[in-house]
Amino acid sequence: MNYCSACGADIVQKIPANDNRLRHVCIACERVHYQNPKIIAGCLPVYDDRILLCKRAIAPRENYWTLPAGFMELGETTEQAAVRETLEEANARVDQLQLFTVFNLPHVGQVYMMFRSRLLNETAHPGAESHAVVLYREEDIPWGKLAFPTIKYTLDCFYADRQQGSYQLHTGDIIRDAAGYTLHAKPENDRA
């Protein structure tokens, strides 16, 4: 951010009075321009014993596989965003949404909220952001070609819960370090 959207003056980074974080502040009108994390909402669509994955047709990670998900829009709930993204990316309809994973990604300022859902039929086909959509059994999932760590950890949690015979909410932080990405799950659900 370089210029104030209120008055057009230059922006500097400083800690405003009564604050404790570095912020973007206008040098003329002193307006504080807050930057907050983005919410990504999506679905883990289940049909019988298969999961619907989309092969990305856009950057980042084009040609890698993902669950249908994307940025939440103003005026919608997280569930509405998850349903909309599933329809846009896979032309697929879902119901019976249950919040399944909530992962913080502080290194990119995102929070992922993935809903376990029932895929209503197997007639899904690619939307504008997908090259392909496929229903995969666990053993057929292209594990080495998953687009994001959030997708891998969501699938890991799903299959661990399925083996246990019950599903729970999984929360944690995905931390990027020199070794890659690590899920720091909350103690009550660190099975992933």
Side-chain angles (χ1 to χ4, degrees):
M1 177 173 289
N2 296 314
Y3 304 103
C4 179
S5 60
C7 73
D10 289 339
I11 296 288
V12 296
Q13 287 192 336
K14 70 178 189 178
I15 299 174
N18 301 318
D19 203 336
N20 61 1
R21 294 185 182 267
L22 202 58
R23 307 281 186 190
H24 290 90
V25 180
C26 177
I27 62 170
C29 71
E30 297 187 11
R31 180 177 183 162
V32 179
H33 296 272
Y34 295 96
Q35 294 182 310
N36 303 104
K38 301 280 188 183
I39 296 173
I40 289 36
C43 284
L44 190 160
V46 180
Y47 189 84
D48 295 329
D49 65 339
R50 297 174 292 164
I51 301 295
L52 180 75
L53 293 178
C54 303
K55 189 174 192 179
R56 291 178 59 83
I58 59 171
R61 310 289 287 166
E62 183 176 357
N63 292 317
Y64 283 78
W65 292 91
T66 188
L67 294 166
F71 293 109
M72 183 177 171
E73 300 287 351
L74 294 175
E76 67 184 357
T77 67
T78 52
E79 285 189 21
Q80 289 168 336
V83 168
R84 175 184 52 76
E85 287 290 341
T86 303
L87 186 59
E88 287 177 4
E89 293 183 10
N91 289 295
R93 298 197 183 279
V94 292
D95 68 2
Q96 299 179 5
L97 278 70
Q98 295 179 328
L99 186 58
F100 185 63
T101 57
V102 179
F103 294 137
N104 300 300
L105 286 78
H107 62 282
V108 290
Q110 296 177 351
V111 177
Y112 268 74
M113 301 179 73
M114 301 300 288
F115 292 84
R116 190 168 56 89
S117 59
R118 181 179 68 141
L119 183 62
L120 295 179
N121 58 55
E122 44 186 337
T123 61
H125 57 278
E129 296 180 2
S130 301
H131 287 306
V133 294
V134 176
L135 282 165
Y136 281 110
R137 288 187 170 77
E138 180 179 8
E139 61 273 13
D140 299 322
I141 289 176
W143 292 99
K145 293 284 284 179
L146 294 177
F148 307 109
T150 49
I151 304 309
K152 179 198 178 305
Y153 291 129
T154 296
L155 291 170
D156 287 346
C157 291
F158 175 79
Y159 289 116
D161 281 4
R162 187 173 77 171
Q163 188 172 11
Q164 295 293 324
S166 67
Y167 297 94
Q168 65 179 353
L169 175 63
H170 298 269
T171 63
D173 306 324
I174 296 177
I175 305 301
R176 184 178 182 182
D177 55 30
Y181 297 93
T182 305
L183 173 61
H184 296 269
K186 301 301 179 200
E188 66 274 8
N189 60 29
D190 62 0
R191 296 179 301 141

